[in-house]
Amino acid sequence: MFMSTAQILMPKTLRLHRHTTRWRTSSTRGQPLLDSPPVRPPSGNKPNPIGEERLKEFMPRHENFAKRHIGPSKQTSREMLKTLGFQTTDELVDKAIPESIRLREPLRVGEPIEENRVLHRLTEVAELNEIWRSFIGMGYYDTYTPSAILRNMMENPGWVTQYTPYQAEVAQGRLRSLLNYQTMVSDLTGLPIANSSLLDEPTAAAEAMALSHRATKKTKFFADHRCHPQTLAVVRTRSVAMGIETVVGDCMTADFGSGNYCGVLFQYPDTDGTISDYSEVVRRAKAAGALVSCATDLLALAIIKPPGEFGCDIALGNSQRLGVPLGFGGPHAGFFSCDHRLARMMPGRVVGVSRDAQGNEVLRLALQTREQHIRRDKATSNICTAQALLANVAAMYTVYHGPKGITKIANRTHNMAVLLAMGLERAGHRVLNDSFFDTLRVQPKDGPVRIIERGFAKKINFRIHEDNKRDVGIALSETTELEDLDDILEIFECPASVEDLATELGDTPPKQIGHSPFSRKSEFLTHPVFNTHHSETKLIRYMKVLENKDISLVHSMIPLGSCTMKLNSTTELVPITWEKFNLIHPYAPPAQTKGYMKLFEELERDLCAITGYHAISFQSNSGAQGEYSGLRTILAYLQAQGEGGRKVCLIPRSAHGTNPASAQIAGMDVVAVNHCKGGEIDMKHLKSLCEKHAKDLAAVMITYPSTFGVFEENVEEVCDMIHYHGGQVYIDGANMNAQVGLCRPGDYGGDVSHLNLHKTFCIPHGGGGPGMGPIGVKRHLIPYLPSHPSAEPVGADTAFGVISGSPWGSPSILPISWTYIKMMGSIGITKASEIAILNANYMRKRLEAYYPTTFTNKHGLCAHEFILDFRQFKGHGVTETDAAKRLQDFGFHAPTMSWPVPGTLMIEPTESEDKTEIDRYIDALVVIREEIQEVVDGKFSIEDSPLRHAPHTLRAVTAEQWDRRYSRERAAYPLPWVTPETKVWPTVGRIDDVYGDRNLLCTCASMADF
């Protein structure tokens, strides 16, 4: 753990701990009540409810955000209800959700706040944050986000509201940008293959450890003590559960041959800022059969020798400083590159080159096994998402600056550190780094207290090194100016100014990298994409060309089952680029982050009210990380109760692959639970498993509504049975969008859940990240929630460990969910759940004459999603893939394909789509069914049908020759509303997945190909 500047000056009792709201719950099923006063301060006048109601009638608010967010109007809702045979949504919901679990009291998250007022309120919260100049470093650095990228990517729904590029034919733009990212990482690290981002640097380090363990089958991992503290903390946490012994020490002197080491990890430059020669460490580690991982800095690698050139197997780190704001710790894109021989074990998503049906070069997500969670309980990773939007920002930053610009930024940052070191040494302070890039570890001649006091006077944060509480860390960045250097020199009482020091520079300034053995000699970023778009005009046009290749929510509905692609409103997204949220270092002193603490407090209170839990931890920065965090919390609780032998986790066979993967890496033994023909959990099988594992049952993981799209009647019985046999209940929150305001997992038996804020609570998917997966827990689990080395959260002594590099996960996107809840209010978010159920059942009903639905409840209803069965057409050669690709010709993204049941499509329309758009999607599926029937009837063979040739590109339908058995018009304009004026064209034909996996290429083509 390191100490911030505030911790030197502030008594321990005054430090701001991680906020955990304490709740009390009424004896009946109701709302949790705060022990503290209500948020709304009392006015000087006595309440006048009658007057308030009269004012609402006399001067009604003209804005109602819920009406903007929810697609169907009252009239169209009645029409859809009529199709289903109901008069009201209440009648529908009563039949869809078991009566026994219904929430009978209204939610208490407050009255809705209008759009034009909510941002004013949030501004007041943000103003509580203080923006100081932070020179803390530790993997987080201030940066300039080019305005062209900020406006045209980070604030652009065409980039922000895309989904993960599984349907590659309508995702070539972001795939190209992510390939640029991979190429940039590969070039800078000197390793041949990179993935398209991980959650953060510590997660990437933990993944490197897991890969090393899997590749070598050895059970010890060595981490150098000069790695960042948060990285060591996450690696330790992960290793304990995986049965790996982590040894932290000095890699320079360690004897790797005496241990059963799977891997060695070091930081380059290290957490002190020192650049060391690790070539001998690499040689010794490899001689002992260990893989070598190097945590590094992409900007530094522009001017220092890359890890691949001195033998490292893996390089990892954080790409944040390439144009991504600090954001109090996230979201940021971790990077990961490796040697070719490890490519098929590399965690995360990998963009690869393949070809389409016409033989054109295209891009796709390569190696389906890249996502370890597909291996379920055999997985060594549960990574199910990335940080695509942030990776795209970093990639575009590199495209904009090019190799010369990146080198110039790196040299300027380094040279400022050289000047600073000269000045500090002249003033009598000791600079402990012999070689460095941008970070200095300084031993003040008179101790740190006076330095910290003088820094505070200038609103400057330094790092205080925890190992001796004496040394001061100073990390410079792209945004550091000469005035900053002068202020730092003044704080350290250096008599010389920067200009004075500059006059003394010779041809070979001391400690300058360019004149050292560490200087980089190899070229990087040689591909034309990094050497072309350096004017704003060219960059904007390049981004627009890529954006136009993709389908996002700005084009049409994306009804992916279990993904909840709902409206991400402009008002919700506005705050994510505010300076008061973005320019704060994750380890800034608590006194400077009161606005964030206020936001966390209010969001925690609302989420507790929504879920029925008693506390929320925000540290998990993805849904899968939330699963892992929740399971580790359960295990820590059981250990504290003297029941550490409980390791069995029961998981239905229908569960998403991250469930068993998360349980596996949490150190649990996964046992599958069968389901009945109707999709519900097989209670007899569950009972037999509970009895069999009565002494070692730790938990059950269930998704509710189920992954089959049904509110199961026996959910309370399941929870009671698990509790009776000594286990805890983990309820996966992936389908929370059907529950908000209608039922609460904390009421019907859940002990812990993660919440996908990027689904239910409107954080956009960003083309494959960012996400947030905070966990809610019941009171008895609060002491075991994750801790962090840079903070002192409640229950730190009993916490199971650390999940993320930032104590709060990805806090800068939390204003999105805060704003959504505030604008919707209690009635609005409840209505959203009702309409989500209505829209799904309306689609199911209209399509039942064309496709069978796999699962419904006893009333023939689904929850907020449903599954269409295509298996009956398999004998005629027609697959769900044919339907998915043909939907692209209508301008639609396909539903979730082949999961949770092979041979099916799972559809989730969400509450944000109106009846007109839903009817269009239905009509498209009806036409596809008619085309399937033509194959069934023998009018077309499947190979000659529009289904198999889909999607049809503009190039294909305008080609001089057309030899298909159907017309060009039918191919391109299959319904009257698909017109030349509105057509969204797929830019490539159907992609050959097999070819791409057999011919793996995951970087931009080399210059030799041009």
Side-chain angles (χ1 to χ4, degrees):
M1 181 174 137
F2 83 98
M3 298 187 71
S4 70
T5 48
Q7 290 171 307
I8 293 292
L9 299 181
M10 296 170 61
K12 188 170 183 179
T13 55
L14 297 180
R15 295 182 208 162
L16 186 60
H17 293 274
R18 188 195 73 81
H19 171 76
T20 301
T21 308
R22 300 294 183 174
W23 299 90
R24 62 177 185 272
T25 306
S26 58
S27 56
T28 58
R29 177 173 294 146
Q31 309 298 316
L33 303 174
L34 273 172
D35 290 339
S36 55
V39 173
R40 182 177 178 181
S43 64
N45 300 320
K46 294 182 178 180
N48 184 353
I50 297 176
E52 288 182 6
E53 289 301 315
R54 184 70 184 98
L55 282 174
K56 289 179 182 179
E57 295 173 4
F58 187 65
M59 296 185 298
R61 293 284 183 184
H62 64 280
E63 284 292 340
N64 182 338
F65 176 74
K67 292 182 178 178
R68 307 284 192 187
H69 175 85
I70 295 172
S73 64
K74 289 184 178 179
Q75 176 59 37
T76 55
S77 294
R78 285 194 290 267
E79 293 171 6
M80 290 191 287
L81 285 165
K82 185 177 180 181
T83 299
L84 293 167
F86 296 104
Q87 296 292 319
T88 66
T89 52
D90 287 342
E91 293 180 15
L92 169 64
V93 170
D94 285 343
K95 296 293 185 181
I97 303 178
E99 190 277 335
S100 62
I101 68 169
R102 287 293 306 279
L103 183 62
R104 294 305 175 187
E105 300 177 17
L107 275 181
R108 296 176 185 172
V109 298
E111 294 291 321
I113 304 176
E114 290 177 283
E115 286 186 77
N116 57 356
R117 295 174 61 226
V118 75
L119 292 181
H120 176 74
R121 167 74 203 291
L122 188 56
T123 300
E124 293 175 342
V125 173
E127 286 299 321
L128 297 175
N129 293 326
E130 298 181 24
I131 300 176
W132 288 28
R133 287 175 286 175
S134 287
F135 300 102
I136 297 170
M138 297 178 66
Y140 300 94
Y141 307 89
D142 206 355
T143 181
Y144 290 123
T145 307
S147 297
I149 298 173
L150 184 74
R151 175 60 60 89
N152 295 285
M153 182 173 280
M154 289 188 71
E155 298 178 341
N156 181 353
W159 280 95
V160 169
T161 67
Q162 303 160 341
Y163 188 64
T164 304
Y166 291 130
Q167 295 294 324
E169 294 85 355
V170 288
Q172 289 296 295
R174 61 189 178 279
L175 285 168
R176 175 60 62 182
S177 183
L178 291 172
L179 188 71
N180 293 344
Y181 177 84
Q182 292 176 185
T183 303
M184 175 265 290
V185 171
S186 179
D187 279 9
L188 286 171
T189 61
L191 287 162
I193 187 168
N195 69 18
S196 62
S197 74
L198 292 173
L199 298 176
D200 61 10
E201 180 171 337
T203 302
E207 294 294 340
M209 175 188 66
L211 188 156
S212 300
H213 171 58
R214 183 181 173 204
T216 67
K217 312 303 180 187
K218 298 180 180 180
T219 57
K220 291 177 70 175
F221 186 76
F222 190 96
D224 187 73
H225 66 94
R226 290 168 289 249
C227 292
H228 292 316
Q230 68 273 20
T231 297
L232 293 175
V234 171
V235 167
R236 281 192 182 106
T237 299
R238 186 78 69 88
S239 66
V240 169
M242 296 184 70
I244 301 171
E245 178 188 353
T246 296
V247 177
V248 177
D250 188 345
C251 69
M252 294 296 191
T253 60
D255 180 6
F256 305 125
S258 64
N260 187 31
Y261 289 107
C262 64
V264 175
L265 170 70
F266 54 79
Q267 193 96 34
Y268 168 79
D270 66 27
T271 192
D272 298 340
T274 300
I275 302 173
S276 301
D277 183 357
Y278 289 104
S279 56
E280 180 60 20
V281 173
V282 173
R283 187 196 65 78
R284 289 189 291 108
K286 288 194 166 186
L291 295 180
V292 179
S293 297
C294 174
T296 188
D297 181 318
L298 290 177
L299 187 62
L301 293 180
I303 61 173
I304 68 174
K305 187 180 296 185
E309 291 184 10
F310 55 87
C312 294
D313 300 294
I314 298 168
L316 59 97
N318 185 1
S319 62
Q320 174 268 319
R321 70 185 311 171
L322 301 182
V324 180
L326 283 167
F328 198 35
H332 304 145
F335 66 85
F336 193 105
S337 60
C338 66
D339 187 78
H340 268 309
R341 73 185 191 282
L342 303 175
R344 294 177 186 270
M345 291 185 284
M346 183 168 57
R349 295 171 179 151
V350 182
V351 177
V353 179
S354 187
R355 64 186 183 189
D356 70 2
Q358 287 76 47
N360 302 308
E361 180 183 289
V362 297
L363 303 176
R364 58 183 277 277
L365 289 180
L367 302 176
Q368 291 301 312
T369 55
R370 75 202 174 280
E371 294 196 19
Q372 280 283 310
H373 72 272
I374 293 174
R375 302 177 70 237
R376 299 177 68 84
D377 57 314
K378 304 299 182 184
T380 57
S381 169
N382 69 338
I383 292 295
C384 183
T385 190
Q387 299 283 23
L389 179 63
L390 297 316
N392 283 329
V393 170
M396 213 58 71
Y397 175 96
T398 314
V399 167
Y400 195 34
H401 288 295
K404 292 181 179 178
I406 295 295
T407 302
K408 186 178 292 185
I409 294 169
N411 276 321
R412 181 180 184 276
T413 303
H414 170 61
N415 289 338
M416 285 192 293
V418 170
L419 278 173
L420 181 60
M422 288 175 58
L424 294 172
E425 289 180 331
R426 169 177 290 196
H429 307 287
R430 186 183 174 196
V431 176
L432 301 178
N433 319 73
D434 291 328
S435 297
F436 52 82
F437 170 59
D438 63 358
T439 300
L440 306 177
R441 179 165 181 161
V442 183
Q443 194 173 86
K445 59 184 178 182
D446 297 320
V449 174
R450 180 168 171 77
I451 300 298
I452 300 307
E453 289 174 344
R454 291 170 64 86
F456 262 52
K458 288 183 175 291
K459 293 191 173 183
I460 286 178
N461 295 319
F462 298 121
R463 175 185 179 185
I464 303 299
H465 285 271
E466 172 64 16
D467 54 3
N468 66 7
K469 299 180 177 65
R470 173 180 172 83
D471 297 346
V472 176
I474 309 172
L476 307 184
S477 71
E478 174 190 8
T479 67
T480 304
E481 299 292 343
L482 296 181
E483 294 80 6
D484 299 318
L485 293 187
D486 276 330
D487 282 342
I488 295 172
L489 290 171
E490 181 182 336
I491 289 168
F492 280 83
E493 300 178 280
C494 175
S497 68
V498 176
E499 289 80 4
D500 297 334
L501 296 169
T503 61
E504 301 178 13
L505 288 173
D507 293 335
T508 57
K511 299 187 178 182
Q512 192 176 47
I513 289 174
H515 306 289
S516 77
F518 299 110
S519 178
R520 179 168 189 150
K521 307 301 181 185
S522 58
E523 291 186 324
F524 59 92
L525 303 180
T526 56
H527 190 274
V529 74
F530 301 111
N531 294 277
T532 304
H533 310 287
H534 298 161
S535 74
E536 182 168 335
T537 300
K538 298 203 76 169
L539 181 75
I540 290 173
R541 289 173 181 167
Y542 179 63
M543 286 191 287
K544 182 56 67 172
V545 166
L546 296 187
E547 178 192 341
N548 288 344
K549 294 176 182 288
D550 295 1
I551 285 182
S552 67
L553 286 176
V554 305
H555 299 101
S556 55
M557 68 186 291
I558 303 178
L560 286 151
S562 195
C563 298
T564 314
M565 296 292 289
K566 65 200 294 183
L567 172 70
N568 314 120
S569 84
T570 304
T571 299
E572 292 158 7
L573 298 179
V574 163
I576 66 173
T577 54
W578 286 359
E579 289 189 350
K580 283 284 189 172
F581 287 129
N582 266 331
L583 299 186
I584 299 178
H585 194 281
Y587 309 144
Q592 298 167 26
T593 61
K594 292 178 181 178
Y596 263 117
M597 298 305 120
K598 178 68 172 173
L599 184 136
F600 298 154
E601 177 184 344
E602 294 189 11
L603 184 56
E604 180 179 31
R605 183 193 65 240
D606 288 343
L607 293 177
C608 283
I610 288 167
T611 60
Y613 290 120
H614 298 114
I616 304 289
S617 167
F618 290 106
Q619 194 174 135
S620 306
N621 51 11
S622 79
Q625 290 286 72
E627 293 173 9
Y628 175 77
S629 182
L631 292 173
R632 289 296 304 274
T633 300
I634 287 173
L635 289 174
Y637 164 77
L638 292 172
Q639 182 72 36
Q641 307 309 306
E643 297 190 83
R646 291 184 174 271
K647 298 289 186 182
V648 169
C649 185
L650 303 179
I651 302 178
R653 295 187 184 277
S654 61
H656 193 278
T658 56
N659 284 183
S662 295
Q664 167 71 16
I665 67 170
M668 305 177 93
D669 300 321
V670 176
V671 176
V673 182
N674 295 335
H675 56 80
C676 299
K677 187 176 181 180
E680 67 276 10
I681 291 174
D682 185 335
M683 295 302 293
K684 289 184 178 179
H685 189 227
L686 178 66
K687 185 174 185 292
S688 68
L689 291 175
C690 286
E691 292 171 349
K692 178 180 178 180
H693 297 286
K695 293 183 178 180
D696 55 7
L697 175 62
V700 69
M701 290 188 83
I702 59 174
T703 302
Y704 201 75
S706 74
T707 51
F708 293 144
V710 176
F711 285 98
E712 295 188 39
E713 295 283 339
N714 56 13
V715 64
E716 288 180 300
E717 185 181 353
V718 170
C719 297
D720 290 344
M721 187 181 298
I722 298 300
H723 287 145
Y724 179 80
H725 288 90
Q728 297 285 292
V729 176
Y730 187 106
I731 296 179
D732 187 317
N735 291 341
M736 195 69 200
N737 206 52
Q739 297 187 74
V740 177
L742 304 177
C743 56
R744 306 192 307 177
D747 289 341
Y748 54 75
D751 297 294
V752 56
S753 294
H754 79 268
L755 300 172
N756 294 95
L757 299 189
H758 50 286
K759 296 181 182 181
T760 307
F761 298 98
C762 291
I763 290 175
H765 285 71
M772 272 290 280
I775 60 170
V777 297
K778 301 292 278 188
R779 184 174 288 105
H780 64 284
L781 295 179
I782 291 175
Y784 310 99
L785 289 170
S787 59
H788 199 276
S790 72
E792 295 189 2
V794 175
D797 293 339
T798 53
F800 71 82
V802 183
I803 293 296
S804 303
S806 161
W808 312 97
S810 296
S812 67
I813 55 176
L814 290 179
I816 298 171
S817 299
W818 182 95
T819 304
Y820 168 68
I821 295 171
K822 297 300 182 189
M823 290 193 296
M824 293 291 280
S826 300
I827 296 175
I829 56 175
T830 302
K831 190 67 175 177
S833 299
E834 295 172 346
I835 298 301
I837 294 171
L838 172 60
N839 281 353
N841 277 284
Y842 172 73
M843 288 191 75
R844 177 199 54 77
K845 182 67 174 178
R846 275 207 56 197
L847 288 167
E848 69 179 4
Y850 305 94
Y851 304 93
T853 300
T854 54
F855 304 107
T856 57
N857 71 2
K858 63 184 180 182
H859 301 291
L861 299 173
C862 62
H864 65 312
E865 59 190 5
F866 61 101
I867 301 172
L868 295 182
D869 196 343
F870 283 76
R871 290 171 295 182
Q872 61 182 317
F873 311 125
K874 187 175 181 180
H876 302 280
V878 180
T879 69
E880 71 278 16
T881 301
D882 295 318
K885 303 308 179 186
R886 183 59 168 147
L887 278 166
Q888 296 174 12
D889 290 325
F890 295 82
F892 287 127
H893 193 289
T896 298
M897 194 172 69
S898 310
W899 185 85
V901 180
T904 66
L905 296 177
M906 182 162 64
I907 299 176
E908 180 187 356
T910 83
E911 73 276 12
S912 297
E913 301 300 338
D914 64 14
K915 183 175 180 293
T916 301
E917 181 75 353
I918 289 172
D919 282 337
R920 278 198 288 260
Y921 207 96
I922 293 169
D923 291 344
L925 285 169
V926 170
V927 168
I928 290 171
R929 179 63 182 86
E930 292 169 351
E931 292 178 345
I932 292 173
Q933 193 60 43
E934 289 179 333
V935 174
V936 172
D937 293 341
K939 295 180 180 179
F940 282 102
S941 70
I942 182 58
E943 298 301 331
D944 290 333
S945 73
L947 295 166
R948 186 54 49 88
H949 287 287
H952 299 83
T953 65
L954 178 61
R955 177 180 296 179
V957 298
T958 58
E960 184 174 346
Q961 291 187 333
W962 181 262
D963 57 1
R964 312 282 170 83
R965 291 187 56 199
Y966 50 91
S967 69
R968 300 173 193 256
E969 289 75 15
R970 182 175 179 184
Y973 307 114
L975 277 170
W977 46 263
V978 185
T979 67
E981 294 77 19
T982 62
K983 174 78 174 181
V984 179
W985 289 96
T987 57
V988 301
R990 190 177 300 198
I991 293 174
D992 187 338
D993 291 326
V994 174
Y995 177 87
D997 281 348
R998 288 178 177 172
N999 302 273
L1000 189 61
L1001 176 61
C1002 301
T1003 57
C1004 297
S1006 68
M1007 287 299 294
D1009 295 326
F1010 286 84

